[in-house]
Amino acid sequence: FGQWFQREHFVATKRLRSAHAHEELLNLLKARALFEGGERPVFLRYGGTKDVLWIDLGDQSGAAVRIDADGWSVEHDHDVRFRRGTGTLALPPPARGGSIAGYRDLLGLDEANWYRVIAFLLACIRPTGPFFCLLIEGQQGSGKSVLGSTIKAIIDPHRLDRVRLPKSEHDLIIQAKESSL
């Protein structure tokens, strides 16, 4: 923020603030934000209320999908705040008339497991819990990793396709916080 703030001043005046003046202004803005500003929720990819769900597309435009009882729309001008991790990738924009049905054959799922995966995907985009865990079992070479990676790519694409199990409880908490929806 400090660099952006300094750049905006430079663009407007063609001069840099002194380090002291710059630091003083940053401290003033920080104090006003902490003590005078209101609080707003910040979400990671998915958020909203019981009536409206928002999905951050993760692209440069800041677009988000708004879903409510009347349908969905892609909104470029909204006041919902999202936090993005460094590895966040963009979701493709939704298309009217699209279908997820083709994934069933691609993933080789029977009907019962297909419905479990669909239920899991829907549960993942809920703004509040409870959430459930999808357990993928099978023999070596049965496609467990491919299924898990595909589901992750649908829900929240990231530069890191898979991560290792954390070595400690502390690392687990950090990893869960950074990837919690």
Side-chain angles (χ1 to χ4, degrees), residues 124-142:
C124 286
I125 66 173
R126 292 179 56 197
T128 60
F131 301 105
F132 67 90
C133 183
L134 182 66
L135 177 62
I136 302 172
E137 294 182 312
Q139 298 175 349
Q140 183 176 354
S142 62

Side-chain angles (χ1 to χ4, degrees), residues 24-39:
E24 219 172 88
L25 280 171
L26 285 178
N27 287 336
L28 174 64
L29 290 175
K30 187 186 298 184
R32 290 187 69 188
L34 286 171
F35 306 122
E36 296 175 359
E39 285 189 33

Side-chain angles (χ1 to χ4, degrees), residues 48-63:
T49 64
K50 67 177 187 164
D51 298 321
V52 179
L53 170 69
W54 288 90
I55 302 172
D56 177 21
L57 291 178
D59 63 9
Q60 293 296 323
S61 74

